[in-house]
């Protein structure tokens, strides 16, 4: 993930963004927009949605930069982007269901429910979840088979439910659960081999 390699520089940029420095915001965008767009594209085939999510991500960064506490900027940015993508996909699913059922006229509250909730800055727990793609945990994650890695990325990094993961990956919910359990075991074993088994402790069993 190319853009997050210079964490100290990113932290300085984010402090400047928090002070309202638009030039710093432009520099941060130039550093990170490329890899964020590429990763979002792997999770969503609609380029228009990806562009909207990317724009929403950096709007959230502009508003929330002061909440950054010096942790790895790449993980912080990805958590925001992933949450925005999930919000966007859920809104689209609601719209599709309403259109298929022809029930817009019968559901006057639907339009209000379709409005996505404004993205908040990542919580402390979400920063830990983002660690699944960075540092030692990211290295261990790379050792998993693709099907196990996909389940962890969807359920933990992107915050999808078992049902949503099942729909996203096109596999039964039971398979999602089975792979998640297997992935947890293999991830812990890989972390132990790296001497970083305690990296998952703050997650409270989330993986």
């Amino acid at each position: 993930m190319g853009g997050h390699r210079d964490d100290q520089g990113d932290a300085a940029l984010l402090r400047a963004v928090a002070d309202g420095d638009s030039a710093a915001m432009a520099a941060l965008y130039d550093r990170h927009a490329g890899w964020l767009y590429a990763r979002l594209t792997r999770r969503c085939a609609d380029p228009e949605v990806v562009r909207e999510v990317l724009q929403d991500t950096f709007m959230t960064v502009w508003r929330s930069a002061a909440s950054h506490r010096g942790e790895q900027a790449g993980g912080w940015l990805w958590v925001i982007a992933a949450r925005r993508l999930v919000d966007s996909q859920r809104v689209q699913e609601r719209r599709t269901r309403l259109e298929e059922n022809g029930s817009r006229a019968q559901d006057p509250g639907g339009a209000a429910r379709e409005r996505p909730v404004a993205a908040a800055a990542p919580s402390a727990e979400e920063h830990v979840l983002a660690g699944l793609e960075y540092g030692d945990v990211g290295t261990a994650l790379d050792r998993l088979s693709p099907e196990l890695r996909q389940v962890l990325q969807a359920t933990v990094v992107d915050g999808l439910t078992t049902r949503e993961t099942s729909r996203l990956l096109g596999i039964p919910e039971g398979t999602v659960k089975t792979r998640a359990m297997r992935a947890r075991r293999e991830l812990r074993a890989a972390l132990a081999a790296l001497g970083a088994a305690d990296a998952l402790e703050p997650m409270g069993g989330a993986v």
Side-chain angles (χ1 to χ4, degrees), residues 67-148:
S67 68
H68 182 257
R69 295 292 180 264
E71 65 276 18
Q72 195 169 54
W76 190 77
L77 287 166
W78 175 244
V79 170
I80 295 174
R83 292 294 182 268
R84 296 307 291 145
L85 180 60
V86 170
D87 285 345
S88 178
Q89 290 172 332
R90 286 173 175 165
V91 169
Q92 185 57 48
E93 286 175 1
R94 292 192 191 105
R95 288 175 179 163
T96 300
R97 284 198 299 269
L98 287 172
E99 289 170 0
E100 289 176 349
N101 296 334
S103 59
R104 285 187 180 275
Q106 301 173 20
D107 187 10
R113 289 196 300 273
E114 286 180 17
R115 288 195 295 270
V117 177
S123 66
E125 180 183 23
E126 288 172 330
H127 289 312
V128 178
L129 300 184
L132 278 177
E133 303 227 8
Y134 298 93
D136 288 335
V137 186
T139 300
L141 189 66
D142 287 340
R143 298 186 178 188
L144 300 183
S145 63
E147 63 269 17
L148 298 184

Side-chain angles (χ1 to χ4, degrees), residues 165-202:
T165 301
S166 169
R167 186 161 55 241
L168 176 69
L169 300 180
I171 58 178
E173 291 183 35
T175 302
V176 172
K177 294 177 181 178
T178 300
R179 288 183 182 177
M181 292 175 62
R182 181 181 165 196
R184 278 197 288 270
R185 292 194 298 268
E186 293 192 13
L187 184 61
R188 289 187 182 279
L191 283 169
L194 292 169
D198 59 344
L200 294 184
E201 292 306 316

Side-chain angles (χ1 to χ4, degrees), residues 32-60:
H32 293 281
W35 71 265
L36 281 170
Y37 184 89
R39 181 174 285 185
L40 288 167
T41 298
R42 290 199 293 271
R43 285 164 169 75
C44 177
D46 188 333
E48 182 177 350
V49 171
V50 171
R51 285 192 293 269
E52 290 177 355
V53 168
L54 189 65
Q55 181 180 15
D56 287 348
T57 296
F58 282 98
M59 288 178 64
T60 301

